[in-house]
Each structure stands twice: as structure tokens, then as C-alpha cells.
Amino acid sequence: MNETEFNTLLELYLNGECTPEQKEWMEQWFDRLSEEGSGEDLGVNREMVMRRLKDRIDQRIKRQNFFNLPLVLRVAASVIFIISLGTWAYLHFRGTNTVRNITMSAARGEQLKLLLPDGSGVILNAGSVIRYPESFKENRTIILQEGEACFDVANDPAHPFTVTSAGIQTEVLGTAFNVQAYKALDEVTITVIRGKVAVGTSGQELPMLLTPDEQAVIQRSSGARQKKMVNAAAISGWTTGKLVFRNETLQHVAIMLENIYDVKIIFKDEATKGIRFTANFSSTDSLEKILFAIAKANKLNWTVRNKVVQF
């Protein structure tokens, strides 16, 4: 579509005279403009379109209240405002804030070892995603977006190290701990291997202090939390090729196996997800061996086809 054709279509759209197909095309174009912001590779002169939209909006606002404008013009006004604000913010802050965030992920079936800017080490379990600043100028703040990670934090008393996941903050100075926060699970767990950590939520409760072999279990849905004694070495055993399940639900076990072996596990009966399972395996064990053990221990049948396991 050339610029002349686009101008004609834009005029029809603003007047409410285009066909359903033309309307859908224009709305998709507006979505791209809103998402991409810069307007690059949109195929038409972005500045020209923005000027025409603004002129039309200004004319209509003179005659009626903003909230009585047609939906398309209200959306267009919002797009113009967001893009303008984003451009101003970029120009205003680019000279003073040049730190960018880095996002790293471990693919299914793989683990990923990282060295953070402060020298702290992180191991991401399969299917996990982490985000952190390119450099730690003032604080050391990490976001575990999905999955499980084991941290070995470099000691720096002047700059606490904070891991945030699902609204839960874990703050340390120098220690080693494991965080598990899979989105498919309601529970978030923080387990201390070495040192001491403080685990807090967005609520008003005081942070929960944890020492070695202590674990905080926090429910996403209710905010309920508890502290319990565990074997931290077993919890973090996945970092050394061990796969340890201690009274875990089959739903929990399934999520771990899905990421480690890159499969999909489904349950015909919802009640099966709540069955508890305890066992030790190695990362070198085959998926079939583990599935056989689960089925044998719980008198279940299972099938696997095209990387989909069904119990």
C-alpha cells in the first residue's frame, strides 16, 4: 500500500466509512504503532499520520467532551500521548540513566550458569528466566521471572542483594540460597544453603529470617507463609545433577520433569495432581525410568506419545 492509498483509507476510517476488512487492517496498524513506539518499518510516514490524527482530535474536542469522542479518536489520542511521553522520557533520561536490563533464560532440558556483574554466581534450572541490570551501580536487584534459581552471593555489606519473584523479596548480604517460583505453582519457596536471608512480601508483616536448612513457603493466592526445616543440599541438588523429591505433589513433580525433559505431562483425573511422591533420581536417569517409578508407587497407568505424557 502506497502513501496515497493509506491516506484515503485513513480518511475513510476516521469518518467511519471503511469496510470491516479495512477497519481491521487499520486497527492492527494502530496496535503496531502503539507497541513499536518509534514507528519504524510501519510502511508509511508516521509523523504525517500523527499530525493528521492530532488535527482531527483537536477539531472534535473543540465541539464535544473528550469522553464523547468516537472510540477510534480516543484511542488515537491515547496513542499520541503515550508515544509523546515515551519520547520525552527517553530524551530526558538517556543521558543520566544508561543502565539496561539483561534477560537470560535456560531452555527446557538445559541449565544455565551465570556470573553477575558483582561476581555473584547463579544457576538457572531448566525453563527458568531471570532479569538483572547490566551493572550494579547502586543496588543489586534481581528478578526471577519464572522457574528456579540457585544464588551464591558475593559479600558486599554496603549493597544488599535482593531477589524479587511473585511479589516476594529475598534480601541478603552474602549467602547461598535457592528460590523456586514456577508460575504454575501456588507455592514460592526460598531455601537457605549458607548464611542468612530476610524474606518479605508486599504486606505489612515483618520479614521472615532464615538460616541454613530453613525454608520459607509462601502461598501466592493467600499470602500465607510458613517456615520449616529442610535438607537444603537436597533441595538444591538439581545444581549437581540430582533430582530429589520430598513429599512433593505430582503436579509439582510434573512441572519439574516438563522443564528437565522438555515434555508435556497431563492428568486425566485432577485428584491425581495432589498425590504426594518421595524419591531420588539422577539427571542422567531416563524419563521412562522416572515415570515408571511414579506409576509403580501410586498404582497409576501412563502413556507417552509425541512428547506428551498422560497419567
Side-chain angles (χ1 to χ4, degrees), residues 165-184:
S165 187
I168 299 164
Q169 294 81 41
T170 303
E171 184 173 308
V172 302
L173 295 177
T175 187
F177 62 101
N178 192 87
V179 180
Q180 187 179 93
Y182 289 99
K183 292 179 180 177

Side-chain angles (χ1 to χ4, degrees), residues 255-272:
I255 290 170
M256 300 298 294
L257 296 181
E258 284 180 336
N259 286 298
I260 294 170
Y261 292 96
D262 191 18
V263 295
K264 177 67 178 176
I265 300 178
I266 58 178
F267 297 90
K268 290 186 290 185
D269 186 350
E270 283 291 312
T272 306

Side-chain angles (χ1 to χ4, degrees), residues 159-291:
H159 301 94
F161 187 100
T162 302
V163 176
T164 299
S165 187
I168 299 164
Q169 294 81 41
T170 303
E171 184 173 308
V172 302
L173 295 177
T175 187
F177 62 101
N178 192 87
V179 180
Q180 187 179 93
Y182 289 99
K183 292 179 180 177
L185 295 175
D186 189 45
E187 289 185 348
V188 175
T189 63
I190 298 93
T191 308
V192 176
I193 303 166
R194 184 185 70 251
K196 181 186 293 186
V197 308
V199 179
T201 62
S202 56
Q204 299 300 313
E205 293 180 285
L206 292 175
M208 183 184 296
L209 297 180
L210 302 177
T211 55
D213 288 326
E214 289 187 331
Q215 181 183 76
V217 181
I218 302 171
Q219 305 295 328
R220 295 175 190 258
S221 56
S222 65
R225 61 183 192 172
Q226 69 174 122
K227 181 194 296 188
K228 60 183 182 180
M229 296 298 299
V230 296
N231 182 337
I235 298 295
S236 61
W238 60 269
T239 64
T240 57
K242 299 174 184 177
L243 194 55
V244 180
F245 300 114
R246 288 289 179 268
N247 196 35
E248 301 289 358
T249 65
L250 288 190
Q251 180 187 25
H252 190 153
V253 173
I255 290 170
M256 300 298 294
L257 296 181
E258 284 180 336
N259 286 298
I260 294 170
Y261 292 96
D262 191 18
V263 295
K264 177 67 178 176
I265 300 178
I266 58 178
F267 297 90
K268 290 186 290 185
D269 186 350
E270 283 291 312
T272 306
K273 294 181 180 181
I275 295 175
R276 297 282 175 172
F277 182 67
T278 297
N280 294 346
F281 299 101
S282 167
S283 60
T284 58
D285 289 335
S286 68
L287 175 63
E288 287 73 17
K289 176 181 177 178
I290 299 175
L291 295 175

Side-chain angles (χ1 to χ4, degrees), residues 116 120-124 130 142-144 148-153 161 163 175-179 193-194:
L116 299 179
S120 296
V122 184
I123 304 177
L124 293 184
I130 195 173
I142 311 298
I143 297 176
L144 178 60
E148 183 171 21
C150 192
F151 298 86
D152 193 347
V153 180
F161 187 100
V163 176
T175 187
F177 62 101
N178 192 87
V179 180
I193 303 166
R194 184 185 70 251

